[in-house]
């Protein structure tokens, strides 16, 4: 069935890096743009980044620009989020979603703490 | 950046009542890229409405969306117990793709 499964979350110290993955199945991954969205504990949703289906175009929220990089490997049906220079305010559940936000993963939790 | 402001912040209603949720944008939003979600605790958001007024697959017809330009509305015609949750609007026509802050629909 159509599915997105995130992985790679965990506890990391401020200033360190982490890479999240999102494995897609059940649909033609290479045809769709993909997004990362995050939600801090008890807070609302925040869009993080998008990558076009062919990887040619990427946009970021100002809060992560210059620190996070979105990428994809269409041969592996996988979306990535490389997170560098992590801050306490990056602590959140990170979701991946497809182009029109009708498919979401279950999320992976990232906690930035010393 | 397009700022989406949802009102009210919290809505207290009883099952069977009608719920009207508002989403106002700081500048005009393409209706094609205005969506509404429902989110329950511990779950990912669930797409309810896309293109401002089209119901997503499997969404009951008690949910409806309307509006254009800067004013959008989500209406739940007769509340069921499972409808009590947090609702978000979002626009993805102009980067950054912003969300409203959410409306919590609680049981009165």
């Amino acid at each position: 069935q159509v599915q997105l499964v995130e992985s790679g979350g965990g506890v990391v110290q401020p200033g360190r890096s982490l890479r999240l993955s999102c494995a897609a199945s059940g649909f033609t991954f290479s045809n769709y743009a993909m997004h990362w969205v995050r939600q801090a504990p008890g807070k609302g949703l925040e869009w993080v980044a998008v990558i076009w289906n062919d990887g040619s175009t990427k946009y970021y929220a100002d809060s992560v620009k210059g620190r996070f990089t979105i990428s994809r490997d269409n041969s592996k049906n996988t979306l990535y989020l490389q997170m560098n220079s992590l801050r306490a305010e990056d602590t959140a559940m990170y979701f991946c979603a497809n182009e029109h936000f009708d498919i979401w993963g279950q999320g992976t939790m990232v906690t930035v703490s010393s | 950046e397009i700022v989406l402001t949802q009102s009210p912040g919290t809505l207290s209603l009883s099952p069977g009542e009608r719920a009207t949720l508002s989403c106002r944008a700081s500048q005009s939003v393409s209706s094609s890229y205005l969506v509404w979600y429902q989110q329950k605790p511990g779950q990912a958001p669930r797409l309810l409405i896309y293109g401002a007024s089209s119901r997503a697959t499997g969404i009951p017809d008690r949910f409806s969306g309307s509006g254009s330009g800067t004013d959008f509305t989500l209406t739940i015609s007769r509340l069921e117990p499972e409808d009590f949750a947090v609702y978000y609007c979002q626009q993805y026509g102009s980067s950054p793709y912003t969300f409203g802050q959410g409306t919590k629909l609680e049981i009165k």
Side-chain angles (χ1 to χ4, degrees), chain A residues 26-41:
Chain A
F27 66 100
T28 307
F29 180 73
S30 59
N31 285 355
Y32 296 95
M34 294 292 296
H35 304 267
W36 286 100
V37 175
R38 69 183 181 182
Q39 187 170 36

PDB file of all heavy atoms in Angstrom, chain A residues 26-41:
ATOM      1  N   GLY A  26       4.621   2.047  -2.773  1.00  0.00           N
ATOM      2  CA  GLY A  26       3.226   2.029  -3.189  1.00  0.00           C
ATOM      3  C   GLY A  26       2.822   3.113  -4.173  1.00  0.00           C
ATOM      4  O   GLY A  26       1.659   3.180  -4.562  1.00  0.00           O
ATOM      5  N   PHE A  27       3.763   3.970  -4.535  1.00  0.00           N
ATOM      6  CA  PHE A  27       3.478   4.987  -5.548  1.00  0.00           C
ATOM      7  C   PHE A  27       4.781   5.311  -6.296  1.00  0.00           C
ATOM      8  O   PHE A  27       5.866   4.936  -5.849  1.00  0.00           O
ATOM      9  CB  PHE A  27       2.858   6.253  -4.945  1.00  0.00           C
ATOM     10  CG  PHE A  27       3.748   7.045  -4.016  1.00  0.00           C
ATOM     11  CD1 PHE A  27       4.405   8.184  -4.444  1.00  0.00           C
ATOM     12  CD2 PHE A  27       3.931   6.649  -2.691  1.00  0.00           C
ATOM     13  CE1 PHE A  27       5.219   8.925  -3.590  1.00  0.00           C
ATOM     14  CE2 PHE A  27       4.738   7.371  -1.826  1.00  0.00           C
ATOM     15  CZ  PHE A  27       5.380   8.505  -2.269  1.00  0.00           C
ATOM     16  N   THR A  28       4.671   5.984  -7.416  1.00  0.00           N
ATOM     17  CA  THR A  28       5.839   6.286  -8.243  1.00  0.00           C
ATOM     18  C   THR A  28       6.548   7.504  -7.667  1.00  0.00           C
ATOM     19  O   THR A  28       6.259   8.653  -8.029  1.00  0.00           O
ATOM     20  CB  THR A  28       5.432   6.519  -9.709  1.00  0.00           C
ATOM     21  OG1 THR A  28       4.660   5.413 -10.163  1.00  0.00           O
ATOM     22  CG2 THR A  28       6.681   6.651 -10.587  1.00  0.00           C
ATOM     23  N   PHE A  29       7.470   7.237  -6.768  1.00  0.00           N
ATOM     24  CA  PHE A  29       8.172   8.273  -5.992  1.00  0.00           C
ATOM     25  C   PHE A  29       8.774   9.342  -6.900  1.00  0.00           C
ATOM     26  O   PHE A  29       8.680  10.532  -6.611  1.00  0.00           O
ATOM     27  CB  PHE A  29       9.254   7.579  -5.161  1.00  0.00           C
ATOM     28  CG  PHE A  29      10.076   8.489  -4.300  1.00  0.00           C
ATOM     29  CD1 PHE A  29       9.559   9.062  -3.156  1.00  0.00           C
ATOM     30  CD2 PHE A  29      11.410   8.742  -4.624  1.00  0.00           C
ATOM     31  CE1 PHE A  29      10.330   9.875  -2.344  1.00  0.00           C
ATOM     32  CE2 PHE A  29      12.193   9.560  -3.824  1.00  0.00           C
ATOM     33  CZ  PHE A  29      11.652  10.122  -2.672  1.00  0.00           C
ATOM     34  N   SER A  30       9.366   8.919  -7.999  1.00  0.00           N
ATOM     35  CA  SER A  30      10.117   9.851  -8.853  1.00  0.00           C
ATOM     36  C   SER A  30       9.219  10.844  -9.589  1.00  0.00           C
ATOM     37  O   SER A  30       9.717  11.783 -10.211  1.00  0.00           O
ATOM     38  CB  SER A  30      10.957   9.078  -9.861  1.00  0.00           C
ATOM     39  OG  SER A  30      10.128   8.262 -10.672  1.00  0.00           O
ATOM     40  N   ASN A  31       7.913  10.670  -9.509  1.00  0.00           N
ATOM     41  CA  ASN A  31       6.983  11.585 -10.171  1.00  0.00           C
ATOM     42  C   ASN A  31       6.566  12.766  -9.308  1.00  0.00           C
ATOM     43  O   ASN A  31       5.926  13.697  -9.816  1.00  0.00           O
ATOM     44  CB  ASN A  31       5.705  10.848 -10.593  1.00  0.00           C
ATOM     45  CG  ASN A  31       5.904   9.975 -11.806  1.00  0.00           C
ATOM     46  OD1 ASN A  31       6.977   9.966 -12.406  1.00  0.00           O
ATOM     47  ND2 ASN A  31       4.869   9.234 -12.170  1.00  0.00           N
ATOM     48  N   TYR A  32       6.930  12.737  -8.023  1.00  0.00           N
ATOM     49  CA  TYR A  32       6.354  13.698  -7.085  1.00  0.00           C
ATOM     50  C   TYR A  32       7.407  14.481  -6.324  1.00  0.00           C
ATOM     51  O   TYR A  32       8.420  13.930  -5.868  1.00  0.00           O
ATOM     52  CB  TYR A  32       5.458  12.979  -6.081  1.00  0.00           C
ATOM     53  CG  TYR A  32       4.267  12.323  -6.719  1.00  0.00           C
ATOM     54  CD1 TYR A  32       4.313  10.980  -7.074  1.00  0.00           C
ATOM     55  CD2 TYR A  32       3.114  13.051  -6.994  1.00  0.00           C
ATOM     56  CE1 TYR A  32       3.233  10.375  -7.684  1.00  0.00           C
ATOM     57  CE2 TYR A  32       2.026  12.459  -7.601  1.00  0.00           C
ATOM     58  CZ  TYR A  32       2.092  11.112  -7.949  1.00  0.00           C
ATOM     59  OH  TYR A  32       1.016  10.529  -8.562  1.00  0.00           O
ATOM     60  N   ALA A  33       7.120  15.776  -6.112  1.00  0.00           N
ATOM     61  CA  ALA A  33       7.878  16.536  -5.143  1.00  0.00           C
ATOM     62  C   ALA A  33       7.614  15.961  -3.758  1.00  0.00           C
ATOM     63  O   ALA A  33       6.596  15.286  -3.537  1.00  0.00           O
ATOM     64  CB  ALA A  33       7.475  18.010  -5.187  1.00  0.00           C
ATOM     65  N   MET A  34       8.536  16.229  -2.849  1.00  0.00           N
ATOM     66  CA  MET A  34       8.412  15.714  -1.488  1.00  0.00           C
ATOM     67  C   MET A  34       8.773  16.806  -0.485  1.00  0.00           C
ATOM     68  O   MET A  34       9.618  17.662  -0.763  1.00  0.00           O
ATOM     69  CB  MET A  34       9.330  14.506  -1.284  1.00  0.00           C
ATOM     70  CG  MET A  34       8.964  13.284  -2.107  1.00  0.00           C
ATOM     71  SD  MET A  34       7.413  12.516  -1.623  1.00  0.00           S
ATOM     72  CE  MET A  34       7.802  11.965   0.044  1.00  0.00           C
ATOM     73  N   HIS A  35       8.135  16.729   0.688  1.00  0.00           N
ATOM     74  CA  HIS A  35       8.312  17.729   1.732  1.00  0.00           C
ATOM     75  C   HIS A  35       8.776  17.108   3.044  1.00  0.00           C
ATOM     76  O   HIS A  35       8.502  15.939   3.322  1.00  0.00           O
ATOM     77  CB  HIS A  35       6.976  18.425   2.036  1.00  0.00           C
ATOM     78  CG  HIS A  35       6.299  19.057   0.888  1.00  0.00           C
ATOM     79  ND1 HIS A  35       6.476  20.380   0.557  1.00  0.00           N
ATOM     80  CD2 HIS A  35       5.417  18.542  -0.011  1.00  0.00           C
ATOM     81  CE1 HIS A  35       5.728  20.667  -0.504  1.00  0.00           C
ATOM     82  NE2 HIS A  35       5.072  19.564  -0.862  1.00  0.00           N
ATOM     83  N   TRP A  36       9.410  17.956   3.862  1.00  0.00           N
ATOM     84  CA  TRP A  36       9.584  17.689   5.282  1.00  0.00           C
ATOM     85  C   TRP A  36       8.799  18.742   6.054  1.00  0.00           C
ATOM     86  O   TRP A  36       8.829  19.936   5.713  1.00  0.00           O
ATOM     87  CB  TRP A  36      11.047  17.748   5.689  1.00  0.00           C
ATOM     88  CG  TRP A  36      11.862  16.587   5.241  1.00  0.00           C
ATOM     89  CD1 TRP A  36      12.704  16.521   4.162  1.00  0.00           C
ATOM     90  CD2 TRP A  36      11.926  15.290   5.866  1.00  0.00           C
ATOM     91  NE1 TRP A  36      13.271  15.268   4.082  1.00  0.00           N
ATOM     92  CE2 TRP A  36      12.818  14.495   5.110  1.00  0.00           C
ATOM     93  CE3 TRP A  36      11.316  14.720   6.993  1.00  0.00           C
ATOM     94  CZ2 TRP A  36      13.125  13.172   5.443  1.00  0.00           C
ATOM     95  CZ3 TRP A  36      11.613  13.413   7.323  1.00  0.00           C
ATOM     96  CH2 TRP A  36      12.506  12.658   6.556  1.00  0.00           C
ATOM     97  N   VAL A  37       8.104  18.278   7.083  1.00  0.00           N
ATOM     98  CA  VAL A  37       7.314  19.135   7.975  1.00  0.00           C
ATOM     99  C   VAL A  37       7.673  18.722   9.393  1.00  0.00           C
ATOM    100  O   VAL A  37       7.868  17.534   9.661  1.00  0.00           O
ATOM    101  CB  VAL A  37       5.802  18.942   7.724  1.00  0.00           C
ATOM    102  CG1 VAL A  37       4.983  19.738   8.744  1.00  0.00           C
ATOM    103  CG2 VAL A  37       5.436  19.355   6.305  1.00  0.00           C
ATOM    104  N   ARG A  38       7.741  19.675  10.316  1.00  0.00           N
ATOM    105  CA  ARG A  38       8.054  19.322  11.682  1.00  0.00           C
ATOM    106  C   ARG A  38       7.029  19.906  12.655  1.00  0.00           C
ATOM    107  O   ARG A  38       6.296  20.833  12.328  1.00  0.00           O
ATOM    108  CB  ARG A  38       9.463  19.762  12.053  1.00  0.00           C
ATOM    109  CG  ARG A  38       9.665  21.264  12.153  1.00  0.00           C
ATOM    110  CD  ARG A  38      11.131  21.571  12.446  1.00  0.00           C
ATOM    111  NE  ARG A  38      11.381  23.009  12.571  1.00  0.00           N
ATOM    112  CZ  ARG A  38      12.576  23.545  12.794  1.00  0.00           C
ATOM    113  NH1 ARG A  38      13.641  22.763  12.912  1.00  0.00           N
ATOM    114  NH2 ARG A  38      12.699  24.862  12.900  1.00  0.00           N
ATOM    115  N   GLN A  39       7.037  19.315  13.853  1.00  0.00           N
ATOM    116  CA  GLN A  39       6.104  19.752  14.900  1.00  0.00           C
ATOM    117  C   GLN A  39       6.808  19.638  16.240  1.00  0.00           C
ATOM    118  O   GLN A  39       7.078  18.524  16.707  1.00  0.00           O
ATOM    119  CB  GLN A  39       4.826  18.908  14.871  1.00  0.00           C
ATOM    120  CG  GLN A  39       3.746  19.382  15.802  1.00  0.00           C
ATOM    121  CD  GLN A  39       2.430  18.668  15.542  1.00  0.00           C
ATOM    122  OE1 GLN A  39       2.395  17.488  15.214  1.00  0.00           O
ATOM    123  NE2 GLN A  39       1.321  19.399  15.678  1.00  0.00           N
ATOM    124  N   ALA A  40       7.100  20.778  16.844  1.00  0.00           N
ATOM    125  CA  ALA A  40       7.688  20.779  18.180  1.00  0.00           C
ATOM    126  C   ALA A  40       6.659  20.267  19.182  1.00  0.00           C
ATOM    127  O   ALA A  40       5.454  20.385  18.956  1.00  0.00           O
ATOM    128  CB  ALA A  40       8.145  22.187  18.544  1.00  0.00           C
ATOM    129  N   PRO A  41       7.117  19.701  20.276  1.00  0.00           N
ATOM    130  CA  PRO A  41       6.184  19.145  21.272  1.00  0.00           C
ATOM    131  C   PRO A  41       5.140  20.163  21.716  1.00  0.00           C
ATOM    132  O   PRO A  41       5.477  21.262  22.149  1.00  0.00           O
ATOM    133  CB  PRO A  41       7.115  18.754  22.427  1.00  0.00           C
ATOM    134  CG  PRO A  41       8.428  18.479  21.777  1.00  0.00           C
ATOM    135  CD  PRO A  41       8.518  19.467  20.654  1.00  0.00           C
TER     136      PRO A  41
END
